[in-house]
Amino acid sequence: MQNKKTTICFICYDDEVVFIGKTRRTCEAYVESKVKNDNSLDARKITKIKYHSFDSSADALLYYNYFVNNYKPRFNNNYISQGNITAILPPLDFSVVGKEQLALFK
């Protein structure tokens, strides 16, 4: 059985990260589903989506918690802890999809 990658998706309104999600689906499918099922996210305001895929779901969860607690996006309610993170994880390279490239807006 082939191991599926886990992807972290950042949904942005302009330069503000408003939601961070973790999925095993494609980032585009995840965002489309999230917008349809979550009344707080407005598809018209999404300007870009940044994402990174991990071979290890444990690594994805670690970075997901790290990013949610660093950015504290307005539409994330889970995994936000009190206080600030003092650990620093190695930086990641993110792929970026602009609004014009998303099927969600076509």
Side-chain angles (χ1 to χ4, degrees):
M1 187 167 156
Q2 192 174 19
N3 186 17
K4 269 186 119 174
K5 292 188 176 217
T6 303
T7 300
I8 293 178
C9 304
F10 286 56
I11 299 175
C12 303
Y13 292 174
D14 295 320
D15 289 327
E16 178 190 3
V17 175
V18 295
F19 184 80
I20 300 173
K22 184 172 60 65
T23 185
R24 287 187 175 239
R25 296 180 277 172
T26 67
C27 197
E28 187 173 277
Y30 175 77
V31 171
E32 184 175 345
S33 171
K34 192 71 181 158
V35 166
K36 285 180 182 176
N37 297 316
D38 186 341
N39 293 334
S40 58
L41 286 172
D42 185 348
R44 296 167 298 176
K45 291 184 180 181
I46 296 173
T47 55
K48 68 182 168 193
I49 296 167
K50 298 182 347 179
Y51 64 94
H52 183 89
S53 295
F54 296 84
D55 291 325
S56 162
S57 61
D59 287 346
L61 182 59
L62 177 66
Y63 270 94
Y64 173 76
N65 284 314
Y66 178 77
F67 288 133
V68 166
N69 281 284
N70 272 330
Y71 286 94
K72 298 186 185 338
R74 65 169 121 157
F75 299 125
N76 280 86
N77 297 317
N78 297 333
Y79 300 104
I80 296 180
S81 302
Q82 297 295 322
N84 294 320
I85 288 186
T86 57
I88 299 173
L89 295 180
L92 300 174
D93 291 325
F94 284 90
S95 298
V96 178
V97 177
K99 185 174 186 173
E100 63 282 351
Q101 297 167 301
L102 291 170
L104 176 68
F105 305 107
K106 293 180 181 174

